[in-house]
Amino acid sequence: MKKRIVIKLSGRVFGMDNVKVLKDYAAFLVRISKVCQPVVIAGGGNIARHYISHARSSGADESTLDELGIEISRLNAKLLIYALKNKAYAHPPTTLQEIRHAVDDGLIVVAGGLHPGQSTNGTAALIAEKIGAEQFLNATDVDGVYDMDPNKFKKAKKFKRIKLKNLKNMLVHEDSVAGGYDLMDIVALKIIERSKIKTRILKANTKTIEKAIKGDSDVGTEIVLPSK
């Protein structure tokens, strides 16, 4: 059986003008599927934020806003499925159980969000746990974890590796991380920790993701799990 790799793909990849980018991702996933089975979770990105802010201003409650974000992430997933044609499972699975079955078909699986109250990072970690993924790659808008938001501070230094507990502390204490650039969240980290999932945060870029799948430890930031 091929090793399974979970890739959380930043919602930005699915932006309005990115037709070629999605085709490139599809070609990359088909190529890489010869050596592993990719399971991709699509983020919602700016399109989801657009819908959510409109609905919030109309007075929608938070769980409704979550559902809206999930709908958008599933539409993004469908765009990638269409680009993959018959190489992908035909639609985005909507439950962990369905993901389990979809993966057993051996095709490339593309999903969006699953449950209200859970980010697509948390969802991706749960999926990695459920299917026994060899690795979880969180492909984001930045090329790894920094000691401060690199979009705001030129002096920001990138970590090649970071202990899970240190990343957890950063997420708890630093407002700029939670709102500014989408790295990971506490739910995702708890799942990674309990199931010892090998995890790397890296730039959403096909060359970078391919290097990580092939074992290059120089890309992105590796999350170092507690040894116990």
Side-chain angles (χ1 to χ4, degrees):
M1 193 177 72
K2 284 182 195 163
K3 62 182 182 180
R4 292 163 175 171
I5 306 277
V6 167
I7 304 164
K8 155 69 203 308
L9 208 46
S10 165
R12 184 169 292 186
V13 170
F14 303 88
M16 297 293 189
D17 308 321
N18 282 5
V19 177
K20 185 182 180 310
V21 171
L22 270 188
K23 285 184 176 160
D24 289 347
Y25 268 99
F28 155 70
L29 289 165
V30 169
R31 191 172 73 248
I32 211 77
S33 70
K34 293 177 175 64
V35 295
C36 68
Q37 184 180 15
V39 178
V40 180
I41 292 81
N46 287 336
I47 304 168
R49 284 189 273 278
H50 166 79
Y51 274 84
I52 286 166
S53 73
H54 272 274
R56 185 177 275 128
S57 69
S58 302
D61 64 81
E62 290 299 313
S63 63
T64 300
L65 299 179
D66 274 349
E67 284 166 4
L68 203 50
I70 288 170
E71 292 285 340
I72 302 297
S73 67
R74 285 177 183 165
L75 286 174
N76 284 345
K78 282 183 177 182
L79 286 179
L80 186 51
I81 288 168
Y82 300 150
L84 284 160
K85 302 187 168 66
N86 62 350
K87 302 288 186 189
Y89 188 73
H91 63 270
T94 59
T95 65
L96 279 175
Q97 209 47 50
E98 194 188 346
I99 280 168
R100 181 77 256 192
H101 290 312
V103 166
D104 288 343
D105 278 357
L107 295 165
I108 297 166
V109 177
V110 190
L114 296 180
H115 308 293
Q118 200 175 73
S119 74
T120 40
N121 289 331
T123 298
L126 262 182
I127 289 170
E129 180 178 68
K130 185 75 176 172
I131 65 172
E134 178 164 304
Q135 197 174 182
F136 167 27
L137 301 175
N138 189 8
T140 71
D141 300 339
V142 290
D143 64 346
V145 180
Y146 285 76
D147 57 354
M148 53 186 91
D149 188 339
N151 298 320
K152 293 179 185 169
F153 303 100
K154 285 206 171 102
K155 293 186 307 192
K157 287 208 303 286
K158 189 174 109 178
F159 297 104
K160 196 172 172 187
R161 306 171 83 221
I162 186 167
K163 287 184 175 172
L164 186 135
K165 69 167 192 268
N166 295 352
L167 182 54
K168 206 183 273 185
N169 288 338
M170 279 173 68
L171 293 179
V172 169
H173 298 304
E174 292 219 5
D175 295 338
S176 64
V177 174
Y181 65 120
D182 174 31
L183 284 176
M184 205 46 104
D185 60 38
I186 298 298
V187 174
L189 288 180
K190 282 183 176 164
I191 296 159
I192 290 161
E193 187 170 15
R194 76 184 181 192
S195 286
K196 302 278 183 280
I197 302 164
K198 196 170 141 192
T199 302
R200 187 173 290 278
I201 296 170
L202 70 177
K203 184 84 169 169
N205 166 301
T206 54
K207 286 193 176 74
T208 307
I209 296 168
E210 185 162 3
K211 282 181 181 171
I213 289 172
K214 290 182 172 171
D216 186 336
S217 59
D218 283 337
V219 295
T221 301
E222 179 192 348
I223 297 178
V224 181
L225 301 165
S227 49
K228 283 183 185 173

